[in-house]
Amino acid sequence: MGDTAKDQAGRTPRAIYLEDYTPPPFLVDTVELHFELEPDDTRVRARLQVRRNPAARPAQPLRLDGQDLELLSVKLDGADIDGSRYRLEGQQLVMDDLPDAASVEIETRIQPAQNTALEGLYVSSGMFCTQCEAEGFRRITFFPDRPDVMARYTTTLVADRKAYPVLLSNGNLVEQGELDDGRHWARWQDPFPKPSYLFALVAGNLVCIEDSFTTRSGREVALRMYVEDVNRDKCGHALASLKQAMRWDEERYGREYDLDVFMIVAVNDFNMGAMENKGLNIFNSACVLASPDTATDSDFYNIQGIIGHEYFHNWSGNRVTCRDWFQLSLKEGFTVFRDQEFSADLNSRPVKRIADVNVLRTHQFAQDAGPMAHPVRPDSYIEISNFYTVTVYNKGAEVVRMIRTLVGQQGFRKGTDLYFERHDGQAVTTDDFVAAMEDANGIDLSQFKRWYSQAGTPVIDVHEDFADGIYSLTLKQHCPPTPGQPEKQPFHIPIDMALLDRSGRPLPLRLEDETEAAGTHRVLELKESEQTFRFQDIPERPVVSLNRGFSAPVKINLQRDDTELAFLLAHDPDPFNRWDAGQNLAMSVLLRLVENYRGERPLTLDDTVVDAFGALLADEDLDMALIAQALTLPSESYLADQCEVVDVDAIHAVREFMRRTLAQRLYDRFLQRYRETRSDAPYRFDARSMAQRSLKNLCLAYLMETGSEEARALCLDQLEQAHNMTDSLAALTVLAQYDLPQREPQLELFYHRWQHDPLVVDKWFAIQAGSRLPDTLQRVKGLLNHPAFTLTNPNKVRALIGRFCQGNTVRFHAADGAGYRFLADQVILLDPLNPQIAARLISAMSRWRRHDAHRRQLMKAELERVLAVPGLSKDVFEIVSKSLEG
Ligand code: 7MF
Ligand code: ZN
């Protein structure tokens, strides 16, 4: 039985509060784990050396968490004890009257093959593997399953030799042997104390691809990647990325790897992207396996970043970990910041920044404005799995980035050095992180810390004034209310800015209390609700470039006309703000078009706008990836966020109109660019070739919007000629948007070519689920019965159901409510199998209140239907109940 939304007494699940934190009554010095692995009957013996925590309130019992475990026996200091010496209380095993130090040995039985939740120990494609973060270890054995209990682990695995020739766990292999019943065993020892969430084991029939890395201090580290034999040719990119990450962390943070072996395992059934288990990272196969034939540029790019992310956790997460799960952003915000900078250093920095800001604005700003809004450091949760969010991760990374902006690159490095030195081997808080930054730099970040405790996206209203050579910039901040936080205190906001003259050159800046100008850009520190900055000796009315590089995760309210936006799009020396001006220009055009569409007035596009985008397309000096990003119109969901009441049909129609019109009016330029960027060169993963492919495929998509025979021929030709997945998938994705005779045969052909490769089949599902054609829901429903589809594989669920409900706004929100009914049906089927994935899916309806009355009613009814399901998981219960309250 899984955990249920209501317990036997019918009570709803209890929330956990940050303010209730108390230190653990007992610490665990060592753990010896012994596994006898059988898919349907695994025996786990755990021997814990426990010791009373001097820092805890005295006389408390030992409490061990356990979930879905069959308890076989308990021993205390080597002797069997009976049920009078311990009790099972809820999901804990409680022992009173323990001595100050004791050995507790517990034997349990679990059924990994029945574990569809993919938390704890489970079987995937015939191999055993684990996922323990955040609270999965309690599904393996009874243990104080909280990150402030750090222990040294020794793990012995026993399994059938034929079926499971490879036996892995954290740390170093210390011993192995054969048993005479066809089984073998291996013992692993991890010298570093770690919290239970970093425990991992893997047992299966895997091949090992070896490499090595020599650290800066000259130690040789063995790098081993374990995959199914069919995937042996898809490991090169991950291993190359790993070595880049190891070098980068040495150079940028002075951090070396600390064990003699680093292992990566690829698993087909995995709830998330990857997991940083000490010395044994486990990856969703979709986030680690790549070959040019089967993976796209964005797959290659993401894999590099995710490999970096998991590797960087070895210091930001493992050596220094979280005191409790409210501190999740301590490791995740910091590590996302680190992986973002890694990707920026290795590829194009502006391209990376634009991509990251896009994620933040479309997903995190939306979360901040909805019923699931929470601070970077939440103060309560029902199910912690629901708080692995864009707020904790991506806004958390922005908070770290703002600290770096405030203290500078060198000050930041001093801060991280002090942080790692002070807290190595400890479980700490976001306050500890900030304190290290303060102490290393002699500054006060107390007001800044509101970024951790207050939810919501601050809004800055801008007022400009120019007279007598003085340019005055007035910034007023406010932050809308969020659940539980009606009023907010002012944030400490770093705003990077410049003033541009008529030709786009940044002017020297001198504030009124300064004697001479210093530099042509400034980081203004906004701390009050309202502040005015007066710049002297300004020769002409300037154009302000604000929040350059997106220096703070805020919304800027500054009314500009199309001409000024077009000017910034053409001239801003900050590439990020250049792109941003283009997005704002497109946005204001589109929002006006929405009004026209609703008023049944004709839709038109001004020359200013067409010319601005046309000039960009023709710019020979601009990075092709930036051109592609600038020509990508704001997404339908981001547009929806800018509307009082969302009109999905209007938004879809005007965005398509603008794409089609740009394509018609700039047809020749798109065509020329397409021809220039075609290439027969073999696939290479580097910023230049990726940029070229991204512009080419953007041009193809625009050209197809015109419906020309020529474009169609180019698309089919690309599909036929493509010698890499990036190009063939791009062509097929475009083709799938049109009701053309070639659509079905080409989809069919693609499936037949790739049916043996589950990751490519996922792409095939996603293409169909993302099509804007009106019969897409029917199609998706049909594909649920396709032999390659299964609800028990999260990648399949995300590709088909996730793509339809989260990536196909116009079809999901169909006015008849069929999309909503479909989602609720699937969530109800999925929840008993995999609550984490079910909870992520149902979030697609959490912002139901923003839609028109008709759709609101339909979504609310579906949410209520889900909430009424008996035995609902805590995961889905929390999302649905908060969505209905909010
Ligand atoms: C890059 O954070 C950025 C974020 C938890 C699982 C991986 O290392 C992780 C794990 C979730 C959501 C996003 C990411 C991860 C998880 C992730 C991966 C790569 N500690 Br849930
Ligand atoms: Zn992480």
Side-chain angles (χ1 to χ4, degrees):
M1 279 291 285
D3 43 338
T4 53
K6 295 191 185 344
D7 64 18
Q8 266 106 1
R11 285 181 297 253
T12 52
R14 214 168 60 84
I16 315 284
Y17 295 91
L18 168 59
E19 61 186 18
D20 292 345
Y21 174 83
T22 56
F26 282 85
L27 301 175
V28 182
D29 291 319
T30 60
V31 191
E32 289 160 75
L33 293 171
H34 183 98
F35 288 88
E36 305 210 354
L37 294 165
E38 289 280 350
D40 288 299
D41 180 359
T42 287
R43 304 294 166 114
V44 185
R45 236 172 29 236
R47 189 189 299 146
L48 322 180
Q49 279 305 328
V50 305
R51 153 172 74 84
R52 205 169 275 284
N53 181 2
R57 201 155 41 79
Q60 298 180 79
L62 172 69
R63 291 182 172 275
L64 306 176
D65 305 293
Q67 202 176 322
D68 300 345
L69 302 173
E70 186 183 326
L71 179 61
L72 298 179
S73 69
V74 184
K75 285 183 184 166
L76 182 58
D77 290 325
D80 279 316
I81 55 173
D82 63 27
S84 66
R85 301 288 305 274
Y86 64 85
R87 60 199 146 87
L88 288 166
E89 200 180 282
Q91 300 194 325
Q92 288 186 325
L93 188 156
V94 185
M95 297 174 81
D96 298 290
D97 317 318
L98 279 195
D100 286 349
S103 155
V104 177
E105 192 174 330
I106 296 174
E107 195 177 1
T108 47
R109 193 180 86 99
I110 51 181
Q111 294 178 279
Q114 312 303 314
N115 181 350
T116 55
L118 314 185
E119 297 174 71
L121 177 63
Y122 62 93
V123 176
S124 168
S125 306
M127 72 196 257
F128 288 95
C129 66
T130 53
Q131 173 53 41
C132 292
E133 187 177 4
E135 298 181 333
F137 194 72
R138 62 187 62 187
R139 294 166 183 262
I140 295 175
T141 186
F142 284 98
F143 197 79
D145 192 14
R146 44 187 289 172
D148 55 355
V149 173
M150 298 170 83
R152 286 195 177 76
Y153 285 66
T154 304
T155 304
T156 306
L157 310 175
V158 184
D160 182 75
R161 186 186 168 77
K162 256 225 178 84
Y164 313 103
V166 171
L167 303 175
L168 310 174
S169 190
N170 316 85
N172 304 310
L173 179 65
V174 288
E175 254 187 288
Q176 57 187 326
E178 308 287 325
L179 300 175
D180 41 22
D181 55 0
R183 296 191 301 170
H184 68 150
W185 62 275
R187 180 165 300 138
W188 292 81
Q189 201 160 47
D190 184 354
F192 292 94
K194 65 166 174 284
S196 50
Y197 83 86
L198 290 173
F199 170 80
L201 77 75
V202 168
N205 187 3
L206 302 168
V207 295
C208 173
I209 313 297
E210 281 246 17
D211 205 332
S212 77
F213 179 83
T214 308
T215 69
R216 201 165 53 163
S217 68
R219 270 191 323 103
E220 170 122 340
V221 179
L223 311 179
R224 301 195 185 123
M225 186 158 165
Y226 292 91
V227 297
E228 293 172 89
D229 195 21
V230 289
N231 294 322
R232 60 161 63 248
D233 296 327
K234 292 184 175 184
C235 299
H237 179 63
L239 284 167
S241 303
L242 175 61
K243 289 184 281 182
Q244 290 173 316
M246 295 177 87
R247 191 62 74 212
W248 187 88
D249 213 15
E250 293 181 346
E251 284 169 1
R252 292 295 291 268
Y253 285 85
R255 299 290 129 198
E256 272 191 39
Y257 186 62
D258 52 9
L259 286 164
D260 298 331
V261 50
F262 186 85
M263 297 176 280
I264 288 175
V265 181
V267 173
N268 295 326
D269 305 278
F270 208 66
N271 280 347
M272 29 242 221
M275 181 60 210
E276 70 264 24
N277 317 301
K278 183 79 188 188
L280 179 54
N281 287 3
I282 298 184
F283 279 70
N284 184 327
S285 54
C287 298
V288 71
L289 301 176
S291 72
D293 288 353
T294 60
T296 63
D297 284 342
S298 48
D299 294 329
F300 274 82
Y301 197 91
N302 291 337
I303 288 168
Q304 187 184 50
I306 298 176
I307 288 274
H309 180 96
E310 303 311 329
Y311 175 74
F312 300 145
H313 267 316
N314 192 52
W315 276 96
S316 49
N318 302 4
R319 292 287 290 254
V320 182
T321 196
C322 303
R323 186 192 72 173
D324 55 73
W325 292 119
F326 297 102
Q327 317 299 326
L328 181 58
S329 195
L330 173 80
K331 74 177 177 83
E332 296 304 347
F334 185 22
T335 305
V336 169
F337 172 72
R338 276 151 60 70
D339 82 54
Q340 290 176 345
E341 287 296 292
F342 169 62
S343 295
D345 279 350
L346 266 62
N347 306 291
S348 155
R349 178 165 285 273
V351 166
K352 176 63 175 158
R353 188 64 187 138
I354 290 166
D356 290 338
V357 172
N358 249 332
V359 168
L360 195 83
R361 272 191 186 151
T362 37
H363 300 107
Q364 201 283 321
F365 282 16
Q367 183 161 69
D368 257 348
M372 285 302 294
H374 56 275
V376 168
R377 186 194 57 211
D379 13 57
S380 79
Y381 59 78
I382 292 176
E383 169 53 60
I384 186 58
S385 302
N386 287 329
F387 285 78
Y388 284 69
T389 61
V390 276
T391 298
V392 165
Y393 276 71
N394 302 63
K395 186 177 182 181
E398 294 301 319
V399 173
V400 174
R401 184 177 296 275
M402 285 190 283
I403 296 178
R404 193 197 49 186
T405 301
L406 290 170
V407 303
Q409 180 101 350
Q410 286 181 351
F412 187 74
R413 174 63 193 273
K414 282 196 271 175
T416 57
D417 282 352
L418 181 59
Y419 170 72
F420 290 126
E421 186 199 332
R422 249 187 206 172
H423 299 299
D424 191 9
Q426 298 177 1
V428 302
T429 63
T430 56
D431 284 340
D432 293 317
F433 180 81
V434 175
M437 289 292 161
E438 292 180 315
D439 296 347
N441 290 283
I443 55 159
D444 175 10
L445 291 171
S446 43
Q447 182 186 353
F448 182 85
K449 287 206 283 190
R450 288 178 189 152
W451 283 107
Y452 286 99
S453 57
Q454 295 190 144
T457 307
V459 179
I460 300 181
D461 292 313
V462 183
H463 181 80
E464 300 176 278
D465 198 43
F466 179 71
D468 306 326
I470 298 176
Y471 170 82
S472 306
L473 181 67
T474 301
L475 305 177
K476 283 189 210 177
Q477 59 162 310
H478 73 276
C479 182
T482 50
Q485 294 187 338
E487 304 279 344
K488 321 273 177 170
Q489 300 301 118
F491 290 87
H492 177 177
I493 308 177
I495 301 284
D496 193 359
M497 53 79 67
L499 298 176
L500 308 183
D501 72 12
R502 210 178 312 226
S503 58
R505 269 191 301 268
L507 295 162
L509 299 178
R510 179 168 79 84
L511 284 164
E512 53 198 330
D513 54 344
E514 297 167 347
T515 53
E516 55 186 289
T520 53
H521 79 107
R522 252 336 142 76
V523 177
L524 305 177
E525 295 190 30
L526 177 62
K527 293 178 157 184
E528 315 293 330
S529 343
E530 175 172 348
Q531 261 167 277
T532 299
F533 302 88
R534 291 186 187 80
F535 296 91
Q536 315 292 305
D537 318 323
I538 303 297
E540 55 180 296
R541 175 176 282 278
V543 175
V544 67
S545 171
L546 263 187
N547 208 23
R548 309 182 105 207
F550 207 66
S551 58
V554 298
K555 292 181 185 165
I556 303 272
N557 233 339
L558 170 55
Q559 290 312 316
R560 310 205 203 230
D561 57 27
D562 290 359
T563 327
E564 193 163 304
L565 290 170
F567 169 84
L568 285 168
L569 175 58
H571 297 297
D572 198 321
D574 177 48
F576 174 83
N577 269 15
R578 218 177 144 178
W579 169 82
D580 198 29
Q583 296 296 294
N584 286 328
L585 177 58
M587 179 72 77
S588 71
V589 170
L590 287 163
L591 293 178
R592 274 178 271 146
L593 287 171
V594 166
E595 289 313 308
N596 288 348
Y597 182 89
R598 295 168 61 90
E600 293 178 23
R601 289 183 292 275
L603 305 182
T604 58
L605 203 57
D606 287 349
D607 287 342
T608 340
V609 179
V610 179
D611 293 347
F613 287 107
L616 218 57
L617 190 52
D619 191 332
E620 300 281 338
D621 302 322
L622 196 56
D623 179 350
M624 290 192 237
L626 286 174
I627 300 180
Q629 283 175 319
L631 285 166
T632 303
L633 302 183
S635 67
E636 288 176 28
S637 59
Y638 186 50
L639 281 161
D641 282 344
Q642 318 305 312
C643 304
E644 276 307 312
V645 176
V646 179
D647 182 337
V648 277
D649 297 319
I651 289 171
H652 181 72
V654 305
R655 191 174 179 277
E656 302 284 273
F657 164 78
M658 184 166 172
R659 278 169 52 79
R660 198 165 55 244
T661 309
L662 284 174
Q664 286 159 351
R665 309 256 295 264
L666 299 169
Y667 188 86
D668 293 338
R669 269 187 217 171
F670 277 117
L671 188 59
Q672 190 190 337
R673 274 291 193 175
Y674 180 77
R675 293 199 167 124
E676 282 168 17
T677 47
R678 278 203 76 159
S679 152
D680 295 323
Y683 180 89
R684 281 173 54 111
F685 172 73
D686 60 44
R688 254 201 92 254
S689 351
M690 273 194 297
Q692 188 173 331
R693 284 186 290 268
S694 72
L695 181 55
K696 174 183 61 188
N697 290 322
L698 174 110
C699 290
L700 180 66
Y702 268 104
L703 290 168
M704 282 289 280
E705 282 293 273
T706 67
S708 81
E709 281 295 335
E710 184 180 34
R712 193 187 308 182
L714 291 175
C715 182
L716 292 168
D717 186 54
Q718 177 167 327
L719 205 44
E720 211 165 282
Q721 302 288 318
H723 50 265
N724 61 68
M725 183 51 73
T726 306
D727 289 338
S728 63
L729 196 74
L732 190 62
T733 305
V734 174
L735 184 60
Q737 299 294 336
Y738 300 90
D739 187 12
L740 292 171
Q742 292 89 351
R743 185 180 191 268
E744 293 308 320
Q746 289 294 342
L747 281 167
E748 193 66 11
L749 201 65
F750 188 88
Y751 179 74
H752 276 283
R753 174 146 182 224
W754 294 111
Q755 53 183 320
H756 61 279
D757 189 316
L759 297 179
V760 183
V761 172
D762 290 345
K763 298 181 194 303
W764 180 78
F765 279 124
I767 287 181
Q768 298 174 75
S771 171
R772 64 186 173 189
L773 293 181
D775 67 344
T776 295
L777 177 56
Q778 271 329 105
R779 181 90 177 200
V780 168
K781 285 182 177 168
L783 287 169
L784 290 174
N785 300 316
H786 191 280
F789 184 81
T790 164
L791 269 186
T792 55
N793 176 259
N795 289 355
K796 293 278 175 287
V797 172
R798 279 184 283 252
L800 189 61
I801 307 173
R803 174 63 64 92
F804 180 76
C805 299
Q806 276 149 359
N808 196 344
T809 321
V810 67
R811 294 304 156 215
F812 172 62
H813 289 284
D816 62 1
Y820 307 147
R821 214 172 314 122
F822 168 73
L823 174 56
D825 287 343
Q826 295 308 312
V827 165
I828 290 168
L829 284 173
L830 194 56
D831 190 46
L833 298 171
N834 189 328
Q836 286 187 0
I837 302 296
R840 296 242 166 200
L841 278 186
I842 198 70
S843 308
M845 283 198 291
S846 67
R847 303 188 68 223
W848 60 279
R849 274 178 221 270
R850 305 206 8 83
H851 290 261
D852 55 87
H854 174 67
R855 288 183 173 88
R856 260 199 315 265
Q857 186 47 45
L858 291 168
M859 278 190 261
K860 181 162 180 271
E862 294 303 329
L863 287 168
E864 283 166 347
R865 179 157 74 90
V866 172
L867 193 64
V869 169
L872 201 65
S873 69
K874 284 202 284 182
D875 310 58
V876 171
F877 172 83
E878 179 169 36
I879 305 286
V880 175
S881 60
K882 288 183 177 174
S883 300
L884 287 167
E885 270 164 37

